[in-house]
Amino acid sequence: MSVCFYRVDHLYTFFVQWSPEIYTKGNKKHRYLIREKLQKRYVVVEKNKVAVMNKLLSNPASHASKNWEIITVKDPKRRLSLCSSEDSEAEEPENEGDDCLPVLGDDSQLLDDHHLKRLAAHMPARTQGYPWQLVYSTAIHGSSLKTLYRNMAGLDSPVLLVVKDMHKKVFGAFSSDPFRVSKYCYGTGETFLFSFNPDFQAYKWSGENSYFVSGNLESLQIGGGGGGFALWLDADLYHGSSFSCPTFHNASLSTQEDFIVQDLEVWTVQN
């Protein structure tokens, strides 16, 4: 089958009409497509197989990675126009949160579906529908801020920082820009903080200042302008602190203002 990239929506419409028992009434099992770059051919992939396929296609040594890529039809709004039955429209609000659930291309030690569902509601629209790739993990790469910076060299995509402290509390930040050494603050108003305590709490940009992210070889800082940073991590990614700050008007993210890192991960969206 030869189909232009901009006609993916029409291809999905064909799938809906050809196999309505699969693609309607809330069934989200087949929602991703793998596109052959040169021949414009497509293969439908079950959602629970996307992580495996993404790992294969992310391997530069793989022949498939040069010829194929994962794309997606952006649901749930599109499905309302594709599936005209009353049943599918009635079920759409219930399924909307699941449709936007980020797909992780690697295993996470810190994030489960509960975390992802809460975080997805606050992610910018430009990140929706694309798989997330693990860029840095203390469990894999060791505890080093230099390594964290090095792993993000060349990235031009937002990142999700996730921390678990010794009290098992999970918290972190979404940054519009990848972390890097910089003399000045960087980032945009898309940046936000979050914590699970265990209830989810997000802290959006207050508009009061633009101290989103800054970093050097000694520490990484997120938020500021007050008596301390919203999130501060040392060069060993072992000691950290979290204080209320004007940038986000946040409460302390961690169990205590000064904390010890148990695990840390950074993810980036692959567009």
Side-chain angles (χ1 to χ4, degrees):
M1 174 168 47
S2 179
V3 185
C4 295
F5 180 61
Y6 69 85
R7 295 184 64 85
V8 173
D9 293 353
H10 298 286
L11 179 64
Y12 188 76
T13 304
F14 169 78
F15 290 150
V16 171
Q17 295 173 344
W18 186 261
S19 304
E21 74 283 358
I22 296 177
Y23 293 95
T24 60
K25 298 183 182 299
N27 191 318
K28 300 181 290 297
K29 190 175 183 180
H30 300 274
R31 294 186 58 248
Y32 291 81
L33 304 176
I34 297 181
R35 179 174 76 113
E36 189 176 18
K37 298 176 182 178
L38 297 179
Q39 300 298 322
K40 303 297 189 296
R41 292 181 293 188
Y42 296 83
V43 177
V44 183
V45 179
E46 296 179 4
K47 185 173 182 179
N48 60 359
K49 300 296 192 302
V50 171
V52 176
M53 296 304 300
N54 182 63
K55 186 171 296 187
L56 172 65
L57 299 183
S58 299
N59 183 359
S62 170
H63 178 72
S65 66
K66 302 176 182 178
N67 300 317
W68 295 83
E69 62 183 346
I70 295 176
I71 60 175
T72 181
V73 179
K74 291 186 177 180
D75 281 327
K77 293 182 179 179
R78 179 171 293 128
R79 238 181 58 203
L80 286 174
S81 62
L82 295 174
C83 311
S84 58
S85 69
E86 293 182 0
D87 289 340
S88 62
E89 290 187 11
E91 291 181 15
E92 193 61 43
E94 180 181 348
N95 295 325
E96 184 169 345
D98 294 336
D99 280 339
C100 296
L101 198 67
V103 175
L104 301 184
D106 300 274
D107 293 331
S108 174
Q109 304 295 318
L110 306 180
L111 296 172
D112 57 26
D113 284 353
H114 167 69
H115 297 121
L116 293 173
K117 185 174 182 179
R118 295 296 184 182
L119 289 168
H122 297 271
M123 297 283 192
R126 65 190 176 105
T127 69
Q128 301 291 345
Y130 297 102
W132 285 76
Q133 195 74 35
L134 185 65
V135 179
Y136 176 84
S137 168
T138 51
I140 298 173
H141 304 102
S143 298
S144 169
L145 183 58
K146 288 183 180 179
T147 303
L148 185 152
Y149 288 140
R150 185 167 56 248
N151 286 9
M152 296 188 196
L155 281 183
D156 185 22
S157 53
V159 293
L160 181 70
L161 168 68
V162 188
V163 178
K164 178 188 280 188
D165 67 16
M166 287 298 185
H167 295 278
K168 311 299 182 184
K169 185 172 181 180
V170 176
F171 53 92
F174 174 89
S175 173
S176 61
D177 296 64
F179 301 130
R180 63 181 185 271
V181 174
S182 176
K183 185 177 180 180
Y184 304 101
C185 293
Y186 56 89
T188 72
E190 289 181 333
T191 304
F192 68 87
L193 309 173
F194 65 88
S195 66
F196 293 88
N197 192 28
D199 295 332
F200 176 73
Q201 181 67 54
Y203 300 96
K204 296 287 191 176
W205 178 41
S206 68
E208 191 165 328
N209 63 42
S210 298
Y211 301 152
F212 297 113
V213 183
S214 61
N216 51 48
L217 295 179
E218 286 71 45
S219 64
L220 175 68
Q221 307 103 35
I222 301 176
F229 301 107
L231 184 55
W232 177 89
L233 295 166
D234 72 354
D236 296 322
L237 300 180
Y238 182 70
H239 291 99
S241 63
S242 178
F243 296 87
S244 176
C245 79
T247 312
F248 302 102
H249 288 174
N250 60 288
S252 177
L253 303 178
S254 50
T255 305
Q256 299 175 343
E257 290 179 337
D258 295 307
F259 62 87
I260 302 296
V261 175
Q262 176 176 311
D263 290 298
L264 183 149
E265 294 177 350
V266 181
W267 296 81
T268 189
V269 66
Q270 296 294 300
N271 189 332

